Amino acid sequence: MIKPTALIYSSHDRCEYLHRQWIIDRALESHDNKTIIYLPLSMVKQNDQEYSYNTFKWYFQQFEQYGLHHEVFHYNQEVTKEAVEILFEKISNYQVVILGGGRTTTGFEQMNNLGVIAGGDYRMIKELFHKRQREGKLTVGFSAGAMQLADANYEGYHEPYSLINNVLATLHHEESRNNELYNLAKRYPHCLTFGLPNDSGIAANQGYLPSGNKYQILQLITDKSWDKPEDQFHIKTRYGQGIEHIYADGRHWKFLGGEIIIRVFSPDYTFQGTWIIQPNSNVVWDYWSQSPSIFHNIEHILNSH
């Protein structure tokens, strides 16, 4: 399996499976670069940014004994060009970058403004994220950050970062909000629309095949590991809530974790093939017909396109 280069997720706290196996382990696998930088840039106030980092910091500290280095960057109106240049160097080189929660529009404005400060180009940070993707590094979006890494232009953002193309997601989702997903799916039929409950996420890798076609592999993640009794109400996956998906024609598919979605697009997007592999199954399902396909596995799909 190709390692994901983007992860978007929704959680109540630092659920163990999602944070350990999908984020921490990715940083620790390096021999000499066990690094994470947290960017709470969807918040304006310094104390809010610090609070956001602290909700992760206590978890990161457990892995310092294994060599994990973690840090945060705070945004303010007085940030200097030199500080931004140092940050951009870290974004380029660190194993994991995490975009935190807050207001999605605020995050776009502040992160894009860093590029203006550094070199007069608001697109610089987006280009850095895509450079990371080409190099196989992991960029994570939590809450507002998840909206920024997906194709979040459906809320009017002029240029989403799109590390997961043609995917829309709602956060802290519940089944009662499926009509919201249906409306999004109808409005953006070229996208796959998902409702991510606490605690769940989508890990993705995308790139180009020798044919020139674009591929995308999505891994659906649900996490039931958070076990504080007082938090049970917030962890919807523990109540059987899966990742909800609505087709543009109203059909429904619920993902319970472990599924893999493979997509292939032609350069002009006139062709879009999509397949689903369920855990512990030898069947590759055709997404559009919801029936078994002629393919046997991921490699068979990619080599055939």
Side-chain angles (χ1 to χ4, degrees):
M1 174 67 69
I2 301 173
K3 292 180 181 178
T5 55
L7 168 64
I8 61 175
Y9 76 100
S10 176
S11 73
H12 173 66
D13 211 316
R14 306 288 75 81
C15 46
E16 177 72 10
Y17 169 63
L18 203 157
H19 289 87
R20 174 64 191 266
Q21 296 195 31
W22 292 89
I23 299 175
I24 298 295
D25 284 357
R26 187 62 175 271
L28 293 179
E29 71 182 13
S30 171
H31 295 295
D32 57 0
N33 187 20
K34 304 177 189 294
T35 48
I36 293 177
I37 188 165
Y38 184 77
L39 305 179
L41 304 185
S42 294
M43 296 178 172
V44 176
K45 296 180 180 179
Q46 183 87 10
N47 60 340
D48 290 339
Q49 293 182 30
E50 190 62 43
Y51 172 81
S52 179
Y53 177 50
N54 286 338
T55 65
F56 282 78
K57 183 178 180 180
W58 69 266
Y59 187 80
F60 294 158
Q61 287 175 331
Q62 300 176 64
F63 304 97
E64 291 175 353
Q65 61 182 311
Y66 304 113
L68 181 68
H69 171 79
H70 56 94
E71 61 183 89
V72 63
F73 178 86
H74 297 296
Y75 181 95
N76 59 62
Q77 295 298 323
E78 287 75 42
V79 66
T80 65
K81 180 179 180 180
E82 180 182 17
V84 175
E85 289 173 344
I86 293 171
L87 170 66
F88 282 3
E89 186 71 17
K90 291 177 178 177
I91 290 175
S92 293
N93 295 318
Y94 277 25
Q95 287 294 327
V96 178
V97 171
I98 302 177
L99 309 187
R103 291 191 60 198
T104 310
T105 51
T106 297
F108 275 124
E109 291 166 2
Q110 296 191 154
M111 285 188 284
N112 291 346
N113 193 47
L114 292 173
V116 176
I117 294 170
D121 187 350
Y122 74 90
R123 294 167 296 187
M124 286 184 69
I125 198 160
K126 177 178 180 178
E127 291 170 357
L128 281 175
F129 292 152
H130 281 267
K131 175 178 177 288
R132 290 179 54 80
Q133 186 166 68
R134 291 191 299 271
E135 294 175 350
K137 296 184 176 70
L138 178 64
T139 306
V140 179
F142 162 71
S143 193
M147 305 290 283
Q148 291 151 358
L149 294 187
D151 270 342
N153 55 340
Y154 70 89
E155 291 205 1
Y157 313 127
H158 64 286
E159 194 171 332
Y161 298 142
S162 301
L163 288 192
I164 310 181
N165 286 125
N166 299 100
V167 167
L168 304 178
T170 62
L171 287 303
H172 314 292
H173 189 79
E174 299 184 26
E175 196 170 343
S176 60
R177 294 172 54 200
N178 276 1
N179 193 56
E180 177 184 346
L181 290 184
Y182 179 43
N183 290 332
L184 284 175
K186 286 193 299 182
R187 186 177 177 187
Y188 300 98
H190 62 290
C191 292
L192 298 187
T193 303
F194 299 93
L196 298 179
N198 294 338
D199 295 330
S200 70
I202 301 173
N205 182 280
Q206 59 188 31
Y208 290 91
L209 298 170
S211 63
N213 289 331
K214 186 171 186 175
Y215 76 88
Q216 183 180 74
I217 299 173
L218 307 176
Q219 299 180 63
L220 288 297
I221 305 163
T222 56
D223 187 340
K224 301 178 183 180
S225 63
W226 190 253
D227 59 359
K228 288 187 177 180
E230 64 270 25
D231 289 341
Q232 294 304 303
F233 173 78
H234 301 285
I235 314 304
K236 301 304 180 183
T237 54
R238 293 183 72 96
Y239 294 97
Q241 176 69 63
I243 297 173
E244 301 287 342
H245 172 65
I246 306 293
Y247 288 64
D249 61 13
R251 287 180 294 166
H252 169 260
W253 196 303
K254 178 183 288 190
F255 298 96
L256 298 177
E259 298 91 348
I260 299 171
I261 299 175
I262 306 97
R263 305 170 80 188
V264 176
F265 308 92
S266 62
D268 60 2
Y269 286 88
T270 55
F271 169 77
Q272 178 176 316
T274 306
W275 300 268
I276 299 172
I277 300 176
Q278 295 175 306
N280 304 315
S281 173
N282 294 321
V283 177
V284 177
W285 297 89
D286 181 87
Y287 169 87
W288 301 107
S289 67
Q290 295 188 345
S291 59
S293 74
I294 63 172
F295 299 106
H296 307 302
N297 50 44
I298 296 174
E299 291 75 17
H300 190 192
I301 294 170
L302 299 183
N303 291 336
S304 299
H305 292 87

